[in-house]
Amino acid sequence: MYRPRSLTNITSARPNALDNQLLIPRTPHSHCGRAEEAYTDFELQQFGEDDDWRDRHQIQSVPLLSSSASNNFPAEQTTRYRSRGGHYNFNGTGRDKEGEERGKMLMSTLFYNSLLAMGCLCAGFLLFLIYMSYYRPEKLHSYLGIVTENTTISPANLTTSHHNISTGPTDPHLLISYANYTSFPLKPVEYLIECAKLNKGYMSHGDYWQPHKMGVMDTLHPYRVGNEEVCASTITYMLDGKVGLLADLALLAQVAALARERNRTFFVDDTYWNRGKWLDHFMDVRSTQPGPEPGCKAPPPEELVACPRLARHWVVNSRTAKFHLGHTYSNAYEDPYAHQLNRLKPMFKFSEESFYNTIRLNVENTRLVQNARSELQVFSQFDSYIALHLRRGDREPAFYRGDHVPAEKFVEAATTAWSRLSQGKSLEQLTLFVATDSALALREIIDLTSASYTVFSLFQSSNEELRALASPGDYVQKKFDLFHVEERIRATRGMIVDFALLSGMWAKEDNLTPQAVVCTFSKWPRFMN
């Protein structure tokens, strides 16, 4: 007969769960999951008044003292028990959810940690590749098996066989074609256009002489009868007169230095020069800088290439110089351990060597410069002087408000330099040489100094031949072509004489040289005249 459950809650208050806790004997084969430990207060409070927590999980379903020999004795796999935190089964079908979740969490943690480790390794490898590509690209190329040998032909390894066949890039994508042009050499602006075509997109950050990974672009060098004596590898500077004389000479000096460094023959092209011929003012560079193949012939003009610089016959002019003598050139040849202007000292050394050894005056200009120096020495009371350069034409000064710097500023700077550099000498002993394109500017200097200082200029020379070399007017670059060719040649000779006395260039051991030079910077700092 069914026996009703006795009343336990005799008050309306919340029952105390501890009062209703069942006492279960501690036996080794209990089916209860709490056999070896009691409920905590918190766990017991989770059971509601209506929850029948006296279910089969809490009540024995097998006799406590059942004989191990009887059929009712539970099997090991169905009565297995482990303490809290372990796995336990009920009737062989249950599983510890807490342990299962812990295993899943462990596997998930291992998976995501492995992904993080792989990501860190990939990032470290990419960082290593970036470092190698920037600082040691040649090592990276060797690791990857990329051939980056310089394809410029070394004259030391040449034989006459390279003249007997047509040479040039075998890949059509590397071939530079001049099929659309009919006259050679190309004009400077046309070389500029060709360089602009090849220098689109991002700037290369490799070595200055590093060839492109796809190869070196060049034009075709077909075999012709008589080409046997053509130089194997050359660098040519093309004069065009679109910039000032000294700007052209400064660029030429750098290019001549590169020819010496790369062991290539150097040429000067004056086809489009508006100042006459190179030999009208200077000696032939083939005699002053013969190169590795003395006596070899210049390449055919249709084989000159402005870009890239690794072409067999490279040509540079004032318009294409920005592609070769800019930031990349400075990074390659400046002194990385020096500061400010001292970083450029190696490039100044290049120019100095070129001016003293490659750019040499011809006989006529040498005579004119010596005559001017001799006359200046008569004016000067000592073995030195201060040189002033006043440009009143088309160049406005930088860092100064106004069209031109007043003459008073030049005189003030000259007297300051004399006082600092000539200790023990009075200002009355100061001699000024003025190189200017304006007779009016010279008059301003004379008015300020005639009572105290000695002033000399080509305008004041007692030598009629030297006076004829003085500037015919304020120099304007765009109007220079309006003069007759003989007037342009004469004006260029006057500029060369002024530059020689202004800088001390091409001076002999017993000649006067300036103690200081006072000049201004142009607003267009790309070229200085």
Side-chain angles (χ1 to χ4, degrees), residues 98-156:
E98 182 180 357
E100 184 178 2
E101 291 177 358
R102 184 181 296 106
K104 291 181 178 179
M105 183 177 298
L106 178 61
M107 294 299 296
S108 176
T109 302
L110 292 176
F111 175 76
Y112 286 112
N113 286 346
S114 62
L115 291 181
L116 181 60
M118 293 177 61
C120 293
L121 290 176
C122 292
F125 181 71
L126 291 177
L127 184 61
F128 171 77
L129 292 180
I130 293 173
Y131 175 85
M132 294 294 293
S133 64
Y134 190 84
Y135 292 101
R136 304 292 297 276
E138 68 282 354
K139 290 292 184 182
L140 183 61
H141 291 158
S142 63
Y143 294 155
L144 299 179
I146 300 176
V147 179
T148 59
E149 294 294 331
N150 193 327
T151 57
T152 302
I153 299 177
S154 174

Side-chain angles (χ1 to χ4, degrees), residues 248-452:
D248 258 335
L249 293 183
L251 294 173
L252 188 150
Q254 294 294 320
V255 175
L258 291 178
R260 291 193 299 270
E261 184 206 32
R262 304 298 292 181
N263 199 30
R264 301 170 72 173
T265 306
F266 180 64
F267 288 94
V268 173
D269 187 285
D270 54 12
T271 304
Y272 302 108
W273 202 24
N274 61 354
R275 300 179 183 276
K277 295 297 183 181
W278 177 258
L279 296 181
D280 290 335
H281 309 286
F282 303 96
M283 296 175 62
D284 189 356
V285 296
R286 294 309 314 281
S287 62
T288 59
Q289 185 173 316
E293 299 176 280
C296 65
K297 294 182 180 180
E302 59 269 23
E303 297 184 18
L304 298 178
V305 174
C307 292
R309 65 183 70 95
L310 287 173
R312 174 181 291 185
H313 302 300
W314 178 32
V315 61
V316 187
N317 59 57
S318 61
R319 298 173 185 265
T320 63
K322 64 181 181 180
F323 296 104
H324 307 291
L325 302 179
H327 181 70
T328 307
Y329 177 71
S330 298
N331 284 346
Y333 290 100
E334 69 182 3
D335 184 356
Y337 302 103
H339 300 280
Q340 298 180 353
L341 192 61
N342 289 327
R343 294 176 66 92
L344 305 180
K345 185 175 291 186
M347 288 176 277
F348 284 115
K349 289 293 185 181
F350 287 167
S351 293
E352 181 183 23
E353 184 177 355
S354 295
F355 270 102
Y356 278 110
N357 298 322
T358 304
I359 308 173
R360 303 293 300 175
L361 298 178
N362 62 10
V363 175
E364 177 65 14
N365 282 350
T366 299
R367 182 183 63 83
L368 294 173
V369 169
Q370 285 302 117
N371 290 342
R373 281 200 168 105
S374 299
E375 187 172 2
L376 176 59
Q377 192 162 4
V378 174
F379 276 85
S380 177
Q381 303 180 31
F382 296 95
D383 57 353
S384 63
Y385 58 92
I386 302 296
L388 307 180
H389 178 238
L390 282 75
R391 174 82 175 269
R392 291 295 178 87
D394 55 356
R395 285 291 185 264
E396 298 178 5
F399 313 112
Y400 186 84
R401 292 188 177 182
D403 294 338
H404 304 288
V405 178
E408 293 85 351
K409 297 292 184 181
F410 285 89
V411 174
E412 179 182 350
T415 55
T416 301
W418 178 264
S419 300
R420 181 170 55 89
L421 300 175
S422 301
Q423 299 293 336
K425 299 179 181 179
S426 64
L427 290 177
E428 287 75 14
Q429 298 171 321
L430 171 61
T431 299
L432 298 176
F433 170 74
V434 181
T436 181
D437 60 346
S438 172
L440 180 60
L442 176 63
R443 175 52 55 186
E444 294 176 1
I445 296 293
I446 293 175
D447 293 341
L448 292 169
T449 62
S450 60
S452 304

Side-chain angles (χ1 to χ4, degrees), residues 218-231:
D218 201 353
T219 188
L220 191 64
H221 304 283
Y223 169 72
R224 298 183 181 90
V225 177
N227 277 12
E228 292 80 4
E229 298 181 0
V230 173
C231 302

